[in-house]
PDB file of all heavy atoms in Angstrom:
ATOM      1  N   GLN T 330     -20.035  77.688 -18.318  1.00  0.00           N
ATOM      2  CA  GLN T 330     -21.103  76.774 -18.750  1.00  0.00           C
ATOM      3  C   GLN T 330     -21.208  76.719 -20.250  1.00  0.00           C
ATOM      4  O   GLN T 330     -22.296  76.612 -20.825  1.00  0.00           O
ATOM      5  CB  GLN T 330     -22.453  77.215 -18.134  1.00  0.00           C
ATOM      6  CG  GLN T 330     -22.541  77.049 -16.670  1.00  0.00           C
ATOM      7  CD  GLN T 330     -23.892  77.285 -16.116  1.00  0.00           C
ATOM      8  OE1 GLN T 330     -24.783  77.816 -16.764  1.00  0.00           O
ATOM      9  NE2 GLN T 330     -24.067  76.840 -14.882  1.00  0.00           N
ATOM     10  N   GLU T 331     -20.063  76.705 -20.933  1.00  0.00           N
ATOM     11  CA  GLU T 331     -19.934  76.587 -22.363  1.00  0.00           C
ATOM     12  C   GLU T 331     -20.735  77.622 -23.123  1.00  0.00           C
ATOM     13  O   GLU T 331     -21.014  77.457 -24.331  1.00  0.00           O
ATOM     14  CB  GLU T 331     -20.390  75.160 -22.804  1.00  0.00           C
ATOM     15  CG  GLU T 331     -19.546  74.071 -22.243  1.00  0.00           C
ATOM     16  CD  GLU T 331     -19.988  72.679 -22.698  1.00  0.00           C
ATOM     17  OE1 GLU T 331     -20.880  72.555 -23.533  1.00  0.00           O
ATOM     18  OE2 GLU T 331     -19.423  71.708 -22.199  1.00  0.00           O
ATOM     19  N   ARG T 332     -21.068  78.746 -22.476  1.00  0.00           N
ATOM     20  CA  ARG T 332     -21.907  79.740 -23.172  1.00  0.00           C
ATOM     21  C   ARG T 332     -21.377  81.187 -23.018  1.00  0.00           C
ATOM     22  O   ARG T 332     -21.384  81.921 -23.955  1.00  0.00           O
ATOM     23  CB  ARG T 332     -23.320  79.709 -22.618  1.00  0.00           C
ATOM     24  CG  ARG T 332     -24.107  78.562 -22.986  1.00  0.00           C
ATOM     25  CD  ARG T 332     -25.545  78.719 -22.532  1.00  0.00           C
ATOM     26  NE  ARG T 332     -26.236  77.414 -22.541  1.00  0.00           N
ATOM     27  CZ  ARG T 332     -26.456  76.693 -21.460  1.00  0.00           C
ATOM     28  NH1 ARG T 332     -26.121  77.109 -20.283  1.00  0.00           N
ATOM     29  NH2 ARG T 332     -27.054  75.519 -21.579  1.00  0.00           N
ATOM     30  N   ILE T 333     -20.936  81.521 -21.833  1.00  0.00           N
ATOM     31  CA  ILE T 333     -20.685  82.937 -21.531  1.00  0.00           C
ATOM     32  C   ILE T 333     -19.183  83.198 -21.396  1.00  0.00           C
ATOM     33  O   ILE T 333     -18.546  82.657 -20.480  1.00  0.00           O
ATOM     34  CB  ILE T 333     -21.413  83.379 -20.239  1.00  0.00           C
ATOM     35  CG1 ILE T 333     -22.909  83.167 -20.401  1.00  0.00           C
ATOM     36  CG2 ILE T 333     -21.091  84.854 -19.901  1.00  0.00           C
ATOM     37  CD1 ILE T 333     -23.753  83.390 -19.153  1.00  0.00           C
ATOM     38  N   PRO T 334     -18.602  83.978 -22.309  1.00  0.00           N
ATOM     39  CA  PRO T 334     -17.174  84.289 -22.216  1.00  0.00           C
ATOM     40  C   PRO T 334     -16.921  85.328 -21.112  1.00  0.00           C
ATOM     41  O   PRO T 334     -17.654  86.274 -20.987  1.00  0.00           O
ATOM     42  CB  PRO T 334     -16.859  84.850 -23.593  1.00  0.00           C
ATOM     43  CG  PRO T 334     -18.139  85.382 -24.103  1.00  0.00           C
ATOM     44  CD  PRO T 334     -19.221  84.576 -23.486  1.00  0.00           C
ATOM     45  N   VAL T 335     -15.883  85.070 -20.347  1.00  0.00           N
ATOM     46  CA  VAL T 335     -15.551  85.971 -19.233  1.00  0.00           C
ATOM     47  C   VAL T 335     -14.037  86.250 -19.283  1.00  0.00           C
ATOM     48  O   VAL T 335     -13.225  85.358 -19.464  1.00  0.00           O
ATOM     49  CB  VAL T 335     -15.883  85.283 -17.863  1.00  0.00           C
ATOM     50  CG1 VAL T 335     -15.545  86.180 -16.703  1.00  0.00           C
ATOM     51  CG2 VAL T 335     -17.365  84.912 -17.821  1.00  0.00           C
ATOM     52  N   GLY T 336     -13.685  87.511 -19.079  1.00  0.00           N
ATOM     53  CA  GLY T 336     -12.267  87.924 -18.987  1.00  0.00           C
ATOM     54  C   GLY T 336     -11.905  88.126 -17.551  1.00  0.00           C
ATOM     55  O   GLY T 336     -12.545  88.918 -16.851  1.00  0.00           O
ATOM     56  N   VAL T 337     -10.884  87.385 -17.098  1.00  0.00           N
ATOM     57  CA  VAL T 337     -10.478  87.470 -15.687  1.00  0.00           C
ATOM     58  C   VAL T 337      -9.009  87.811 -15.627  1.00  0.00           C
ATOM     59  O   VAL T 337      -8.203  87.325 -16.392  1.00  0.00           O
ATOM     60  CB  VAL T 337     -10.691  86.087 -15.015  1.00  0.00           C
ATOM     61  CG1 VAL T 337     -10.255  86.147 -13.530  1.00  0.00           C
ATOM     62  CG2 VAL T 337     -12.115  85.602 -15.155  1.00  0.00           C
ATOM     63  N   HIS T 338      -8.687  88.742 -14.719  1.00  0.00           N
ATOM     64  CA  HIS T 338      -7.280  89.045 -14.431  1.00  0.00           C
ATOM     65  C   HIS T 338      -6.911  88.273 -13.194  1.00  0.00           C
ATOM     66  O   HIS T 338      -7.607  88.373 -12.180  1.00  0.00           O
ATOM     67  CB  HIS T 338      -7.060  90.547 -14.244  1.00  0.00           C
ATOM     68  CG  HIS T 338      -5.646  90.890 -13.853  1.00  0.00           C
ATOM     69  ND1 HIS T 338      -4.657  90.956 -14.790  1.00  0.00           N
ATOM     70  CD2 HIS T 338      -5.096  91.134 -12.665  1.00  0.00           C
ATOM     71  CE1 HIS T 338      -3.533  91.244 -14.168  1.00  0.00           C
ATOM     72  NE2 HIS T 338      -3.754  91.340 -12.883  1.00  0.00           N
ATOM     73  N   MET T 339      -5.807  87.524 -13.258  1.00  0.00           N
ATOM     74  CA  MET T 339      -5.395  86.733 -12.101  1.00  0.00           C
ATOM     75  C   MET T 339      -3.958  87.043 -11.731  1.00  0.00           C
ATOM     76  O   MET T 339      -3.182  87.425 -12.595  1.00  0.00           O
ATOM     77  CB  MET T 339      -5.527  85.247 -12.430  1.00  0.00           C
ATOM     78  CG  MET T 339      -6.986  84.840 -12.735  1.00  0.00           C
ATOM     79  SD  MET T 339      -7.129  83.066 -12.968  1.00  0.00           S
ATOM     80  CE  MET T 339      -7.044  82.512 -11.288  1.00  0.00           C
ATOM     81  N   VAL T 340      -3.641  86.865 -10.434  1.00  0.00           N
ATOM     82  CA  VAL T 340      -2.303  87.034  -9.963  1.00  0.00           C
ATOM     83  C   VAL T 340      -1.860  85.696  -9.330  1.00  0.00           C
ATOM     84  O   VAL T 340      -2.627  85.114  -8.542  1.00  0.00           O
ATOM     85  CB  VAL T 340      -2.205  88.165  -8.902  1.00  0.00           C
ATOM     86  CG1 VAL T 340      -0.805  88.259  -8.311  1.00  0.00           C
ATOM     87  CG2 VAL T 340      -2.642  89.466  -9.502  1.00  0.00           C
ATOM     88  N   PHE T 341      -0.690  85.258  -9.741  1.00  0.00           N
ATOM     89  CA  PHE T 341      -0.129  84.002  -9.244  1.00  0.00           C
ATOM     90  C   PHE T 341       1.237  84.278  -8.591  1.00  0.00           C
ATOM     91  O   PHE T 341       1.904  85.244  -8.967  1.00  0.00           O
ATOM     92  CB  PHE T 341       0.097  83.022 -10.378  1.00  0.00           C
ATOM     93  CG  PHE T 341      -1.175  82.592 -11.072  1.00  0.00           C
ATOM     94  CD1 PHE T 341      -1.627  83.296 -12.203  1.00  0.00           C
ATOM     95  CD2 PHE T 341      -1.848  81.490 -10.666  1.00  0.00           C
ATOM     96  CE1 PHE T 341      -2.761  82.893 -12.852  1.00  0.00           C
ATOM     97  CE2 PHE T 341      -3.037  81.092 -11.329  1.00  0.00           C
ATOM     98  CZ  PHE T 341      -3.474  81.790 -12.417  1.00  0.00           C
ATOM     99  N   SER T 342       1.629  83.415  -7.716  1.00  0.00           N
ATOM    100  CA  SER T 342       2.993  83.483  -7.171  1.00  0.00           C
ATOM    101  C   SER T 342       3.745  82.306  -7.730  1.00  0.00           C
ATOM    102  O   SER T 342       3.209  81.210  -7.892  1.00  0.00           O
ATOM    103  CB  SER T 342       3.016  83.491  -5.641  1.00  0.00           C
ATOM    104  OG  SER T 342       2.524  82.251  -5.143  1.00  0.00           O
ATOM    105  N   LEU T 343       5.045  82.528  -8.010  1.00  0.00           N
ATOM    106  CA  LEU T 343       5.953  81.496  -8.505  1.00  0.00           C
ATOM    107  C   LEU T 343       6.885  81.088  -7.391  1.00  0.00           C
ATOM    108  O   LEU T 343       7.402  81.942  -6.655  1.00  0.00           O
ATOM    109  CB  LEU T 343       6.774  81.968  -9.665  1.00  0.00           C
ATOM    110  CG  LEU T 343       6.011  82.429 -10.921  1.00  0.00           C
ATOM    111  CD1 LEU T 343       6.986  83.032 -11.961  1.00  0.00           C
ATOM    112  CD2 LEU T 343       5.236  81.328 -11.530  1.00  0.00           C
ATOM    113  N   ALA T 344       7.122  79.802  -7.253  1.00  0.00           N
ATOM    114  CA  ALA T 344       8.067  79.308  -6.260  1.00  0.00           C
ATOM    115  C   ALA T 344       8.813  78.087  -6.791  1.00  0.00           C
ATOM    116  O   ALA T 344       8.254  77.316  -7.562  1.00  0.00           O
ATOM    117  CB  ALA T 344       7.324  78.979  -4.950  1.00  0.00           C
ATOM    118  N   TRP T 345      10.049  77.980  -6.351  1.00  0.00           N
ATOM    119  CA  TRP T 345      10.844  76.806  -6.739  1.00  0.00           C
ATOM    120  C   TRP T 345      10.798  75.854  -5.555  1.00  0.00           C
ATOM    121  O   TRP T 345      11.253  76.099  -4.472  1.00  0.00           O
ATOM    122  CB  TRP T 345      12.267  77.220  -7.029  1.00  0.00           C
ATOM    123  CG  TRP T 345      13.208  76.065  -7.241  1.00  0.00           C
ATOM    124  CD1 TRP T 345      14.305  75.754  -6.484  1.00  0.00           C
ATOM    125  CD2 TRP T 345      13.171  75.070  -8.260  1.00  0.00           C
ATOM    126  NE1 TRP T 345      14.894  74.597  -6.953  1.00  0.00           N
ATOM    127  CE2 TRP T 345      14.225  74.173  -8.057  1.00  0.00           C
ATOM    128  CE3 TRP T 345      12.285  74.815  -9.322  1.00  0.00           C
ATOM    129  CZ2 TRP T 345      14.459  73.066  -8.861  1.00  0.00           C
ATOM    130  CZ3 TRP T 345      12.499  73.722 -10.136  1.00  0.00           C
ATOM    131  CH2 TRP T 345      13.588  72.879  -9.898  1.00  0.00           C
ATOM    132  N   GLN T 346      10.175  74.696  -5.798  1.00  0.00           N
ATOM    133  CA  GLN T 346      10.120  73.616  -4.819  1.00  0.00           C
ATOM    134  C   GLN T 346      10.707  72.409  -5.521  1.00  0.00           C
ATOM    135  O   GLN T 346      10.016  71.696  -6.235  1.00  0.00           O
ATOM    136  CB  GLN T 346       8.675  73.380  -4.333  1.00  0.00           C
ATOM    137  CG  GLN T 346       8.054  74.547  -3.630  1.00  0.00           C
ATOM    138  CD  GLN T 346       6.620  74.327  -3.290  1.00  0.00           C
ATOM    139  OE1 GLN T 346       5.997  73.286  -3.539  1.00  0.00           O
ATOM    140  NE2 GLN T 346       6.039  75.348  -2.672  1.00  0.00           N
ATOM    141  N   PRO T 347      12.002  72.201  -5.317  1.00  0.00           N
ATOM    142  CA  PRO T 347      12.717  71.143  -6.100  1.00  0.00           C
ATOM    143  C   PRO T 347      11.927  69.818  -6.155  1.00  0.00           C
ATOM    144  O   PRO T 347      11.417  69.396  -5.118  1.00  0.00           O
ATOM    145  CB  PRO T 347      14.045  70.974  -5.360  1.00  0.00           C
ATOM    146  CG  PRO T 347      14.210  72.258  -4.637  1.00  0.00           C
ATOM    147  CD  PRO T 347      12.842  72.751  -4.303  1.00  0.00           C
ATOM    148  N   PRO T 348      11.749  69.286  -7.301  1.00  0.00           N
ATOM    149  CA  PRO T 348      12.303  69.624  -8.632  1.00  0.00           C
ATOM    150  C   PRO T 348      11.294  70.369  -9.509  1.00  0.00           C
ATOM    151  O   PRO T 348      11.341  70.323 -10.719  1.00  0.00           O
ATOM    152  CB  PRO T 348      12.585  68.217  -9.244  1.00  0.00           C
ATOM    153  CG  PRO T 348      11.441  67.391  -8.732  1.00  0.00           C
ATOM    154  CD  PRO T 348      11.169  67.909  -7.322  1.00  0.00           C
ATOM    155  N   ASN T 349      10.320  71.058  -8.902  1.00  0.00           N
ATOM    156  CA  ASN T 349       9.245  71.654  -9.652  1.00  0.00           C
ATOM    157  C   ASN T 349       9.124  73.166  -9.500  1.00  0.00           C
ATOM    158  O   ASN T 349       9.462  73.710  -8.448  1.00  0.00           O
ATOM    159  CB  ASN T 349       7.868  71.073  -9.198  1.00  0.00           C
ATOM    160  CG  ASN T 349       7.824  69.556  -9.395  1.00  0.00           C
ATOM    161  OD1 ASN T 349       8.192  69.038 -10.419  1.00  0.00           O
ATOM    162  ND2 ASN T 349       7.397  68.855  -8.356  1.00  0.00           N
TER     163      ASN T 349
END
Side-chain angles (χ1 to χ4, degrees):
Q330 293 189 345
E331 298 181 5
R332 290 187 196 102
I333 300 172
V335 180
V337 181
H338 176 79
M339 299 185 75
V340 176
F341 298 90
S342 65
L343 300 174
W345 172 243
Q346 296 175 1
N349 301 314

